Amino acid sequence: MKKGILKERWNKYRKRKRWWSILFDFIFLVLIVGMLIPQSRKSISSFVVRQTLLAPRESSNTFILGKDDWDMKLQDREGRLVTLSDFRGKPIFINYWASWCPPCVAEMPSISNLYDKYKDSVNFIFISTESHIDAAKYLEKNSYDFPVYTTAGEIPEALITSTIPTTILISKGGNLVMYKTGAARWDSRNAYKIIDRLLSEI
């Protein structure tokens, strides 16, 4: 009896839908089921976010970093302390992230492309909210060679965030030109255009 009812409903459903609509419904169902499974939830969330990423845009309000901002302290993987001022002279790309964060994971492939293109002319600072060990495991697993730091002291108000991912872009002259919360497509034409303009500044 139950089998007959299911068959009847399937036939009605199939008559109402086109093949591509049935396919989308099936994909949606698979995504929903996958989201209910803890082991696959992060991967599926990251995949969905990655399909909707938009190119970043410059902030409408920009300002020059002050002395206290440049004194921001960071610690690298070897435990060495540095300050933000050590990276002056080139544009600076700061990204707050964590390996457990689906939007962070979603934007990482595009950031990797940006890094490969500009790593010799831009100072990249990836600030992890987790331990160096956990960050290193994620980077190694995905073949990323980003320079990762943790904060070592108070974060200046201009550079603080309560959201990850957050990306901050600073010009060679110390002008904060972008403060982007949320994931973005960093290998987009617009992102390259912004970086190229910063590199062309005297």
Side-chain angles (χ1 to χ4, degrees):
M1 186 73 170
K2 185 181 288 187
K3 187 176 180 181
I5 293 173
L6 289 174
K7 186 176 180 180
E8 182 182 346
R9 289 183 177 176
W10 165 250
N11 288 332
K12 285 182 179 178
Y13 167 79
R14 193 175 58 180
K15 287 178 182 177
R16 290 197 326 264
K17 298 271 192 173
R18 294 180 182 272
W19 69 267
W20 50 265
S21 182
I22 294 174
L23 178 62
F24 282 137
D25 287 348
F26 176 75
I27 292 172
F28 181 74
L29 180 62
V30 169
L31 290 174
I32 292 297
V33 172
M35 290 292 288
L36 296 175
I37 303 172
Q39 291 85 349
S40 61
R41 187 176 301 147
K42 185 177 78 171
S43 297
I44 291 175
S45 297
S46 300
F47 173 79
V48 171
V49 171
R50 189 172 298 132
Q51 307 316 305
T52 60
L53 291 179
L54 299 175
R57 286 190 257 178
E58 291 185 66
S59 303
S60 54
N61 296 320
T62 64
F63 60 90
I64 300 290
L65 295 184
K67 182 182 180 302
D68 291 342
D69 302 323
W70 288 110
D71 287 340
M72 177 180 176
K73 291 181 175 57
L74 302 165
Q75 187 178 54
D76 67 15
R77 293 190 209 185
E78 284 71 43
R80 293 174 297 212
L81 290 176
V82 296
T83 62
L84 188 60
S85 61
D86 294 328
F87 299 93
R88 293 182 87 156
K90 293 181 180 180
I92 300 172
F93 181 97
I94 300 174
N95 180 262
Y96 292 90
W97 70 286
S99 65
W100 49 260
C101 160
C104 301
V105 172
E107 70 173 0
M108 275 298 171
S110 68
I111 290 182
S112 179
N113 291 334
L114 184 79
Y115 177 74
D116 289 342
K117 184 177 176 67
Y118 292 104
K119 61 184 176 183
D120 293 329
S121 51
V122 174
N123 282 322
F124 286 84
I125 301 173
F126 293 86
I127 301 177
S128 176
T129 62
E130 54 197 336
S131 72
H132 279 299
I133 294 175
D134 290 335
K137 284 179 182 177
Y138 171 79
L139 296 176
E140 184 177 347
K141 179 182 177 183
N142 292 277
S143 300
Y144 296 140
D145 60 345
F146 306 142
V148 176
Y149 301 84
T150 54
T151 55
E154 190 174 345
I155 303 174
E157 185 176 348
L159 303 172
I160 200 168
T161 182
S162 59
T163 303
I164 56 171
T166 290
T167 301
I168 298 170
L169 191 57
I170 303 167
S171 72
K172 288 188 282 187
N175 196 21
L176 196 154
V177 299
M178 183 187 294
Y179 187 100
K180 173 74 176 75
T181 56
R185 189 172 297 282
W186 294 101
D187 57 358
S188 62
R189 183 181 300 177
N190 194 54
Y192 291 161
K193 183 179 177 182
I194 293 170
I195 298 288
D196 287 339
R197 183 180 59 76
L198 294 181
L199 289 173
S200 68
E201 293 178 353
I202 298 174

